[in-house]
Amino acid sequence: MNHAAVSPLSCRVRNAMVGLLEDVHRFGSEHWDRWVDAYAATRRAVSNLLGSDPSEIAFIKNTSEGISLFTNGLDWREGDEVVSVEGEFPANYYPWHALDKKGVTLRLVKGESGRVSLDEIARALGPRTRVVTVSFVQFLSGFRLDLEALGEICAAHKALLFVDAIQGLGAFPLDVRRAQIAGLAADGHKWLTGPEGSGLLFIRKDLLDSIQPTSLGWMNFRRWMDFSSHDPTWRDDARRYESGTLNTVGIYGLGAAVDLLLEIGIENISERVLDLTDRLRAGLKERGHEVFGPTARAESSGIVSFIPRSQTADQVVEELHGDRIMVSARCGKVRVSPHFYNSEAEIDCLLEQLP
Ligand SMILES: Cc1ncc(COP(=O)(O)O)c(C=O)c1O
C-alpha cells in the first residue's frame, strides 16, 4: 500500500519487460522493428489514457525531466509570473523557482490542511501570469484538484496550465483537452503501475513551436535517420523532445501497464480506490488517529496521510514493515496509498496492526 512511492509490477508488466530483455539477450538488435512498433503502441496507449494525440507524447525518464523541459523551453520575459501552490513536491518547485534567474516570479498560493483552493489560485493570477503549475494529486495530503475547473480559470487569464500528474494518473480520469492542459509530465512507477525511469510528457500540439527542445542529440530532428544530415529542423511532433536512444525496456513496461489499466477502466479503478481510502480514513478516525487532508470523495485520491495517535510516523512505518505492510513516512505523517487491487481485508489488517 505504497503506490505513492513505488508500485509493484504486475505479471503483465514484468513479462513484457523480461520478454524484451530475453529477446535482446538472444538476438541483439535483430528485432529492432518490433521496438519501433512498441514505441508507437505505447504512445497510442498513453494518448488513450490522456485523451491526447500520439503526436503530443514524448518519452522522458521521469517527471522532473518533463518539468525541466517545459520550464527551460519557454521564451520567458523578465516580469513573467508563475503561480503554484505551497507544499508541492520538490520536483514541481525547484525548476520553477530557478526561473528567478530570468526575472520570473514564482507566486505560491497557501493551502489549508493540504487543500488547494481554486478561488485562491484565481486570485493569484495576474496579467503577467504565463503558467500555472500544480500537482493533479498532492503527494502528502492526497488532495485531488479539479483540473477542468482550473483549466477554465487559466484559459480566462490566457495562462498555460502545467500538471505534475504522477500522483493521480492511472488511478483517476484525466482528460488533457477537457482540462485545457498545456503540458503534463509523469513517471510510470506510481499509480500507472509501470517501471521507474520510464515517463511521459504531453505537450499540446499548438505549443510545440513555443516550447523549444533544450536537451539535444541526434533524434530531435526531422532527418534523424539520415546520418549525413545536419539539418536542424525539428521533428514535427513531440518526439522533438527526445534527444537520443529510448529506454526500450521501460517503454515495454509502461505500455503493458497502461494497457492493463485501460482494460480495467480508469473509472472502475478510481471508484475502487476511493472505496478503499474511505474505509481506511473511517477506520483511522475510529481508532483516534488524526487524518490529514481531504475527506470529500471529489477531492480524495489514493493517498491517505495521518498523524499516529501515540507513536511517531517513522516508528509506525517500521512496525508495519515488520508485519510486511509497506507504507511511507512523509513530513511527520504516515502515508498509506492503496491501489485498486488491494483488498478491504488488507485495509482492515493494516488498521488492526496499528499501535
Ligand atoms: C508530485 C510528485 N512529483 C514528482 C515526483 C517524482 O518525480 P520523478 O518522477 O522525477 O522522480 C513525486 C514522487 O516521488 C511526486 O510525488
Side-chain angles (χ1 to χ4, degrees), residues 217-218 220-224 226 228-235:
W218 58 287
N220 316 79
F221 303 98
R222 189 181 55 169
R223 293 176 63 192
W224 67 288
D226 174 355
S228 65
S229 164
H230 285 171
D231 171 2
T233 312
W234 303 123
R235 287 172 88 148

mmCIF file of all heavy atoms in Angstrom, residues 217-218 220-224 226 228-235:
data_model
loop_
_atom_site.group_PDB
_atom_site.id
_atom_site.type_symbol
_atom_site.label_atom_id
_atom_site.label_comp_id
_atom_site.label_asym_id
_atom_site.label_seq_id
_atom_site.Cartn_x
_atom_site.Cartn_y
_atom_site.Cartn_z
ATOM 1 N N GLY A 217 20.231 16.091 -29.173
ATOM 2 C CA GLY A 217 21.088 14.990 -29.602
ATOM 3 C C GLY A 217 20.871 14.750 -31.086
ATOM 4 O O GLY A 217 20.758 15.709 -31.842
ATOM 5 N N TRP A 218 20.716 13.502 -31.463
ATOM 6 C CA TRP A 218 20.536 13.225 -32.901
ATOM 7 C C TRP A 218 19.095 12.931 -33.285
ATOM 8 O O TRP A 218 18.752 12.931 -34.461
ATOM 9 C CB TRP A 218 21.431 12.061 -33.324
ATOM 10 C CG TRP A 218 21.187 10.772 -32.562
ATOM 11 C CD1 TRP A 218 21.541 10.511 -31.284
ATOM 12 C CD2 TRP A 218 20.539 9.597 -33.039
ATOM 13 N NE1 TRP A 218 21.164 9.239 -30.914
ATOM 14 C CE2 TRP A 218 20.547 8.643 -31.987
ATOM 15 C CE3 TRP A 218 19.954 9.225 -34.263
ATOM 16 C CZ2 TRP A 218 19.995 7.371 -32.113
ATOM 17 C CZ3 TRP A 218 19.404 7.954 -34.383
ATOM 18 C CH2 TRP A 218 19.434 7.045 -33.316
ATOM 19 N N ASN A 220 16.205 14.565 -32.174
ATOM 20 C CA ASN A 220 15.213 15.647 -32.134
ATOM 21 C C ASN A 220 14.816 16.127 -33.533
ATOM 22 O O ASN A 220 13.861 16.873 -33.672
ATOM 23 C CB ASN A 220 15.749 16.882 -31.391
ATOM 24 C CG ASN A 220 16.483 16.587 -30.115
ATOM 25 O OD1 ASN A 220 17.635 16.196 -30.142
ATOM 26 N ND2 ASN A 220 15.815 16.757 -28.984
ATOM 27 N N PHE A 221 15.562 15.715 -34.537
ATOM 28 C CA PHE A 221 15.484 16.400 -35.835
ATOM 29 C C PHE A 221 14.788 15.577 -36.917
ATOM 30 O O PHE A 221 14.824 14.344 -36.892
ATOM 31 C CB PHE A 221 16.894 16.794 -36.262
ATOM 32 C CG PHE A 221 17.545 17.661 -35.222
ATOM 33 C CD1 PHE A 221 18.413 17.128 -34.287
ATOM 34 C CD2 PHE A 221 17.199 19.001 -35.114
ATOM 35 C CE1 PHE A 221 18.960 17.912 -33.280
ATOM 36 C CE2 PHE A 221 17.743 19.801 -34.114
ATOM 37 C CZ PHE A 221 18.623 19.256 -33.191
ATOM 38 N N ARG A 222 14.182 16.325 -37.840
ATOM 39 C CA ARG A 222 13.358 15.726 -38.885
ATOM 40 C C ARG A 222 14.091 14.639 -39.660
ATOM 41 O O ARG A 222 13.552 13.580 -39.940
ATOM 42 C CB ARG A 222 12.903 16.850 -39.832
ATOM 43 C CG ARG A 222 11.868 16.423 -40.829
ATOM 44 C CD ARG A 222 11.505 17.562 -41.719
ATOM 45 N NE ARG A 222 12.702 18.128 -42.381
ATOM 46 C CZ ARG A 222 12.670 18.990 -43.377
ATOM 47 N NH1 ARG A 222 11.510 19.435 -43.822
ATOM 48 N NH2 ARG A 222 13.777 19.453 -43.916
ATOM 49 N N ARG A 223 15.355 14.882 -39.991
ATOM 50 C CA ARG A 223 16.092 13.903 -40.796
ATOM 51 C C ARG A 223 17.015 13.035 -39.928
ATOM 52 O O ARG A 223 18.138 12.711 -40.304
ATOM 53 C CB ARG A 223 16.883 14.649 -41.877
ATOM 54 C CG ARG A 223 15.931 15.294 -42.890
ATOM 55 C CD ARG A 223 16.659 16.122 -43.903
ATOM 56 N NE ARG A 223 17.571 15.341 -44.721
ATOM 57 C CZ ARG A 223 18.485 15.867 -45.532
ATOM 58 N NH1 ARG A 223 18.601 17.177 -45.622
ATOM 59 N NH2 ARG A 223 19.272 15.100 -46.244
ATOM 60 N N TRP A 224 16.477 12.626 -38.777
ATOM 61 C CA TRP A 224 17.301 11.925 -37.787
ATOM 62 C C TRP A 224 17.871 10.613 -38.300
ATOM 63 O O TRP A 224 18.916 10.174 -37.834
ATOM 64 C CB TRP A 224 16.513 11.714 -36.495
ATOM 65 C CG TRP A 224 15.350 10.765 -36.629
ATOM 66 C CD1 TRP A 224 14.189 11.021 -37.276
ATOM 67 C CD2 TRP A 224 15.253 9.444 -36.106
ATOM 68 N NE1 TRP A 224 13.344 9.944 -37.196
ATOM 69 C CE2 TRP A 224 13.983 8.966 -36.472
ATOM 70 C CE3 TRP A 224 16.085 8.623 -35.348
ATOM 71 C CZ2 TRP A 224 13.532 7.697 -36.131
ATOM 72 C CZ3 TRP A 224 15.638 7.361 -34.998
ATOM 73 C CH2 TRP A 224 14.382 6.899 -35.395
ATOM 74 N N ASP A 226 18.921 10.133 -41.329
ATOM 75 C CA ASP A 226 19.927 10.419 -42.357
ATOM 76 C C ASP A 226 21.184 10.920 -41.627
ATOM 77 O O ASP A 226 21.288 12.085 -41.258
ATOM 78 C CB ASP A 226 19.372 11.486 -43.311
ATOM 79 C CG ASP A 226 20.422 11.924 -44.323
ATOM 80 O OD1 ASP A 226 21.594 11.466 -44.221
ATOM 81 O OD2 ASP A 226 20.073 12.737 -45.199
ATOM 82 N N SER A 228 24.066 11.565 -42.536
ATOM 83 C CA SER A 228 24.931 12.549 -43.187
ATOM 84 C C SER A 228 24.327 13.953 -43.078
ATOM 85 O O SER A 228 24.935 14.937 -43.494
ATOM 86 C CB SER A 228 25.128 12.188 -44.662
ATOM 87 O OG SER A 228 23.879 12.297 -45.327
ATOM 88 N N SER A 229 23.118 14.017 -42.506
ATOM 89 C CA SER A 229 22.438 15.318 -42.448
ATOM 90 C C SER A 229 22.749 16.070 -41.151
ATOM 91 O O SER A 229 22.824 15.467 -40.080
ATOM 92 C CB SER A 229 20.922 15.100 -42.532
ATOM 93 O OG SER A 229 20.245 16.257 -42.118
ATOM 94 N N HIS A 230 22.903 17.368 -41.293
ATOM 95 C CA HIS A 230 22.969 18.242 -40.123
ATOM 96 C C HIS A 230 21.865 19.287 -40.217
ATOM 97 O O HIS A 230 22.011 20.419 -39.777
ATOM 98 C CB HIS A 230 24.348 18.897 -40.005
ATOM 99 C CG HIS A 230 25.409 17.958 -39.514
ATOM 100 N ND1 HIS A 230 26.745 18.260 -39.502
ATOM 101 C CD2 HIS A 230 25.331 16.690 -39.017
ATOM 102 C CE1 HIS A 230 27.448 17.236 -39.027
ATOM 103 N NE2 HIS A 230 26.608 16.273 -38.732
ATOM 104 N N ASP A 231 20.737 18.886 -40.803
ATOM 105 C CA ASP A 231 19.595 19.787 -40.965
ATOM 106 C C ASP A 231 18.931 20.006 -39.600
ATOM 107 O O ASP A 231 18.407 19.065 -39.005
ATOM 108 C CB ASP A 231 18.601 19.137 -41.949
ATOM 109 C CG ASP A 231 17.295 19.886 -42.029
ATOM 110 O OD1 ASP A 231 17.149 20.931 -41.360
ATOM 111 O OD2 ASP A 231 16.388 19.418 -42.765
ATOM 112 N N PRO A 232 18.960 21.244 -39.080
ATOM 113 C CA PRO A 232 18.462 21.478 -37.718
ATOM 114 C C PRO A 232 16.944 21.681 -37.622
ATOM 115 O O PRO A 232 16.478 22.323 -36.681
ATOM 116 C CB PRO A 232 19.219 22.746 -37.313
ATOM 117 C CG PRO A 232 19.354 23.497 -38.587
ATOM 118 C CD PRO A 232 19.447 22.485 -39.707
ATOM 119 N N THR A 233 16.178 21.145 -38.566
ATOM 120 C CA THR A 233 14.712 21.286 -38.475
ATOM 121 C C THR A 233 14.166 20.248 -37.490
ATOM 122 O O THR A 233 14.461 19.060 -37.608
ATOM 123 C CB THR A 233 14.057 21.050 -39.859
ATOM 124 O OG1 THR A 233 14.769 21.830 -40.826
ATOM 125 C CG2 THR A 233 12.598 21.409 -39.858
ATOM 126 N N TRP A 234 13.359 20.730 -36.556
ATOM 127 C CA TRP A 234 12.787 19.813 -35.539
ATOM 128 C C TRP A 234 11.889 18.772 -36.188
ATOM 129 O O TRP A 234 11.274 19.014 -37.222
ATOM 130 C CB TRP A 234 11.939 20.566 -34.515
ATOM 131 C CG TRP A 234 12.607 21.667 -33.755
ATOM 132 C CD1 TRP A 234 12.203 22.968 -33.695
ATOM 133 C CD2 TRP A 234 13.778 21.560 -32.934
ATOM 134 N NE1 TRP A 234 13.047 23.682 -32.883
ATOM 135 C CE2 TRP A 234 14.025 22.842 -32.400
ATOM 136 C CE3 TRP A 234 14.631 20.522 -32.580
ATOM 137 C CZ2 TRP A 234 15.086 23.115 -31.547
ATOM 138 C CZ3 TRP A 234 15.697 20.789 -31.744
ATOM 139 C CH2 TRP A 234 15.910 22.068 -31.234
ATOM 140 N N ARG A 235 11.726 17.647 -35.538
ATOM 141 C CA ARG A 235 10.659 16.717 -35.915
ATOM 142 C C ARG A 235 9.332 17.443 -35.728
ATOM 143 O O ARG A 235 9.221 18.366 -34.912
ATOM 144 C CB ARG A 235 10.717 15.464 -35.035
ATOM 145 C CG ARG A 235 11.883 14.577 -35.411
ATOM 146 C CD ARG A 235 12.044 13.458 -34.430
ATOM 147 N NE ARG A 235 11.233 12.316 -34.806
ATOM 148 C CZ ARG A 235 11.608 11.049 -34.537
ATOM 149 N NH1 ARG A 235 12.743 10.794 -33.902
ATOM 150 N NH2 ARG A 235 10.854 10.050 -34.903
#
